Amino acid sequence: MSHPSDDLTQEIVGLFAAINRRYGRESEAAAAVHDLTALQAKALLAAEAPVPTRRIAERLHAEPSNVTVIVDRLESRGLVERSVDPDDRRVKRVAATTAGRDVVADLRARMPFAGDPLARLDADQRASLRELLRLVLEA
């Protein structure tokens, strides 16, 4: 296994870590105001409009079965409700309630960086960054 040896590589890796810490701190602080974990807050944000549970799992990078526990907690607090998808009765949808949408609005207001960490990049810069990150992951 190779280790980053040049200063530029070390700085870039450090910037990734700093971005991740900033994102995490801001998300956790916003969620804590509502007695939520960062994952619960992210699930609630994903359910602002009705979505299948699997979409929430994709947003959380989690297994759908693990998301069930998170959605259960949000539902017990009255922040989301489950329903059956009218087009496919096997699919469960999750949607924020009125109270949940109020929390979503507050979370968004408290998370300017985590809500859009790439806000300072234009579309071309975002596309370039995506391609560069894909190259890194393919290594």
Side-chain angles (χ1 to χ4, degrees):
M1 173 184 235
S2 66
H3 297 283
S5 58
D6 65 88
D7 290 341
L8 180 58
T9 298
Q10 289 180 16
E11 181 181 359
I12 291 167
V13 170
L15 288 168
F16 277 125
I19 289 166
N20 191 44
R21 281 191 308 273
R22 182 174 175 188
Y23 182 96
R25 277 194 312 265
E26 190 176 277
S27 298
E28 289 170 7
V33 169
H34 298 282
D35 194 29
L36 298 171
T37 66
L39 274 179
Q40 289 168 341
K42 193 171 180 180
L44 181 58
L45 288 162
E48 186 173 13
V51 293
T53 305
R54 68 181 156 71
R55 287 268 191 270
I56 296 172
E58 290 167 2
R59 290 274 306 271
L60 299 181
H61 305 286
E63 292 297 318
S65 59
N66 295 336
V67 171
T68 300
V69 175
I70 295 168
V71 172
D72 286 347
R73 171 82 168 128
L74 294 171
E75 188 174 40
S76 73
R77 302 248 331 258
L79 299 175
V80 300
E81 56 191 3
R82 289 181 170 104
S83 63
V84 176
D85 188 308
D87 298 326
D88 186 345
R89 298 193 55 76
R90 296 169 297 172
V91 175
K92 301 287 186 242
R93 294 186 337 171
V94 179
T97 61
T98 300
R101 287 189 300 276
D102 290 345
V103 172
V104 164
D106 187 68
L107 289 170
R108 289 192 192 289
R110 293 174 185 275
M111 299 183 343
F113 179 78
D116 189 1
L118 304 180
R120 295 187 67 182
L121 303 181
D122 64 31
D124 289 338
Q125 290 170 322
R126 288 176 188 223
S128 294
L129 179 59
R130 179 188 62 211
E131 294 310 310
L132 291 169
L133 292 173
R134 284 180 176 165
L135 282 173
V136 170
L137 285 173
E138 291 172 4

